[in-house]
Amino acid sequence: MAHAVPTRGTSTGARTGAGTGASGASGHTPPDVFGARTHLLAKWAMPLAIGLVYGYWAASIRRHGGPITGWNLLFGFMTVLAFALLWYVVRAVADRLPREGHAVLWGAFAGSALGFLYSGSGVAMFTCVLVSLLLAAAVTAGLYYHYATHQDAEEARAARTRNPARTRTT
């Protein structure tokens, strides 16, 4: 005897929605804990906050344990500005690219950011380039895997909602 399996979010298995749109074929939509204003604030504040940490790190590497000077502060704040602006540009450009280009662009950004910090520490340039390329390759591979698996799943869900007669019912 076959029994229906309850869908997530219900105890009876009854559909809570029409099964189309953003909720997908299962009728389940993930909860949105924060509002649109909070998401917008985080979208613009996160690169700035990470940039502040990055700028402080770059300035502390550059002064090599010496005293904090005005030039050191200026270098740190200019690094914050450059990092945050590059993050905004990469995010804007990457959204318009296919998943391969998206992953490569973020990988190049991560590798370049690490290379800039690592080169300030006085290591050999070959070591700096090698470590940056390794990080860029790792970020690119990880993001490509993430985007490929998530986009393929989204495309399959969209295809099921467009043409529910073609889905298998076993």
Side-chain angles (χ1 to χ4, degrees), residues 9 31 36 53 62 88 111 124 137-138 144 146 149 161:
V53 172
R62 185 168 180 165
Y88 295 135
Y144 178 76
H146 174 77
T149 56
T161 56

Side-chain angles (χ1 to χ4, degrees), residues 103-104 106-112 114 129-145:
V104 168
W106 279 110
F109 176 73
S112 300
L114 177 69
V129 170
L130 181 67
V131 169
S132 297
L133 287 175
L134 287 173
L135 178 71
V139 169
T140 299
L143 286 178
Y144 178 76
Y145 175 77

Side-chain angles (χ1 to χ4, degrees), residues 38-94:
T38 306
H39 284 291
L40 182 64
L41 179 66
K43 179 181 177 179
W44 291 100
M46 188 177 69
L48 187 60
I50 294 173
L52 284 169
V53 172
Y54 185 84
Y56 172 75
W57 194 354
S60 67
I61 288 173
R62 185 168 180 165
R63 64 184 171 93
H64 299 290
I68 297 173
T69 63
W71 290 111
N72 188 253
L73 287 174
L74 179 66
F75 175 76
F77 283 117
M78 294 307 288
T79 305
V80 170
L81 180 66
F83 182 87
L85 285 176
L86 283 173
W87 181 304
Y88 295 135
V89 169
V90 167
R91 185 177 59 201
V93 171

Side-chain angles (χ1 to χ4, degrees), residues 99-169:
R99 62 182 165 213
E100 296 87 5
H102 196 126
V104 168
L105 189 60
W106 279 110
F109 176 73
S112 300
L114 177 69
F116 177 73
L117 284 179
Y118 202 44
S119 68
S121 65
V123 298
M125 191 55 61
F126 176 75
T127 307
C128 176
V129 170
L130 181 67
V131 169
S132 297
L133 287 175
L134 287 173
L135 178 71
V139 169
T140 299
L143 286 178
Y144 178 76
Y145 175 77
H146 174 77
Y147 295 137
T149 56
H150 284 72
Q151 285 179 350
D152 289 346
E154 289 172 7
E155 290 167 2
R157 273 189 231 108
R160 280 195 304 264
T161 56
R162 279 194 308 267
N163 195 357
R166 297 189 74 198
T167 59
R168 289 174 51 178
T169 57

